[in-house]
Amino acid sequence: MLGAGWTQAVALAAAFAIAVLATPAGISGAVLLLPFQVSVLGTPSPAVTPTNLLYNVVATPGALYGYWRQGQTGGRLALVLIAGTLPGVIAGSVIRVEVLPGARVFDLVVAAVLLPLGIWLALTLPIRADGEAKKARAVPLPVLILLAAAVGCVGGIYGIGGGSILAPVLIGTGRPPRQVAPAALASTFVTSVAGVITFLLLSVHHHGQVAPDWPTGIALGIGGLAGAYTGARIQRHLPDTVIRRVMGILVVAIGARYLWSGLG
């Protein structure tokens, strides 16, 4: 365990570095920050989950403001995603505290999120935000809301915004990335705020470490905000496919490590 001041300094630097690498690959730094908190910072379970959600609360408003300045608000799609992810993240937060509070079983949750994500990164080609969308396949509204609810539940358990999972799914159905990105990000922000509040309410009735680690979460968010901005600026200078392949292999390796730990 690091001293308190060092913990925040390391958290800020790590969040910056991870966001610089993750943003060009098209994923949220929150996905990799949770295992970093567990393995390096020693953030206790289940407090590590709301601390990771706090990262999104601090880090995403800058990007949302950028989209708003460009006239991209996500529109009706953002409202639909929020309608599903909001109850989902509340349910996931309760499951995390009541059913999955232990560190070992949570290792399996981390592996279940990271392994498919890493494989997807390694095997698929990047999609530019300004790229041409293929013909969209209509997804019935009830199905989309149920999908968003399931993703929100995963977000509440793991500590990520649902948008990082929903975005590639929606783009895969043919929706244009310019429409999906702000909607998914809005969903991530709202569900992260709801998740943090839910964990705070749950902490009132639990003696364990359930509430977020505020100094660490805020430091992570500030580092991630700066790192995502930097990563977005340098993205055009980096080979997209190579970045995704390297990140995919890294994510798979981390996921495999947590799978081994959870089964050991």
Side-chain angles (χ1 to χ4, degrees), residues 24-172:
I27 62 173
S28 167
V31 176
L32 293 178
L33 281 173
L34 186 134
F36 178 82
Q37 285 191 72
V38 172
S39 299
V40 179
L41 300 182
T43 308
S45 187
V48 64
T49 295
T51 303
N52 216 54
L53 289 171
L54 188 56
Y55 164 89
N56 286 326
V57 174
V58 177
T60 55
L64 281 172
Y65 176 70
Y67 282 124
W68 179 78
R69 287 283 303 272
Q70 297 170 179
Q72 296 172 258
T73 61
R76 181 172 178 269
L77 179 60
L79 297 177
V80 170
L81 296 184
I82 291 170
T85 53
L86 193 55
V89 76
I90 294 172
S93 301
V94 174
I95 291 171
R96 175 72 169 102
V97 173
E98 302 291 350
V99 182
L100 303 171
R104 174 163 290 188
V105 68
F106 189 61
D107 284 350
L108 296 177
V109 174
V110 174
V113 171
L114 293 184
L115 288 173
L117 175 64
I119 293 170
W120 172 74
L121 281 172
L123 298 182
T124 60
L125 295 174
I127 301 176
R128 289 287 189 181
D130 57 353
E132 291 294 327
K134 58 186 178 182
K135 185 177 180 180
R137 296 190 294 273
V139 179
L141 183 61
V143 174
L144 186 55
I145 292 177
L146 285 175
L147 174 63
V151 169
C153 186
V154 172
I157 295 171
Y158 186 94
I160 55 175
S164 57
I165 301 175
L166 283 170
V169 174
L170 292 173
I171 291 172

Side-chain angles (χ1 to χ4, degrees), residues 23-26 128 230-240:
T23 300
R128 289 287 189 181
T230 303
R233 290 293 300 270
I234 67 175
Q235 182 178 31
R236 65 180 180 273
H237 303 296
L238 300 174
D240 291 341

Side-chain angles (χ1 to χ4, degrees), residues 134-208:
K134 58 186 178 182
K135 185 177 180 180
R137 296 190 294 273
V139 179
L141 183 61
V143 174
L144 186 55
I145 292 177
L146 285 175
L147 174 63
V151 169
C153 186
V154 172
I157 295 171
Y158 186 94
I160 55 175
S164 57
I165 301 175
L166 283 170
V169 174
L170 292 173
I171 291 172
T173 67
R175 289 180 181 270
R178 283 180 55 83
Q179 179 191 59
V180 170
L185 196 63
S187 170
T188 293
F189 177 73
V190 173
T191 54
S192 296
V193 171
V196 170
I197 293 173
T198 302
F199 275 95
L200 284 173
L201 294 175
L202 290 169
S203 69
V204 174
H205 303 288
H206 287 78
H207 299 296

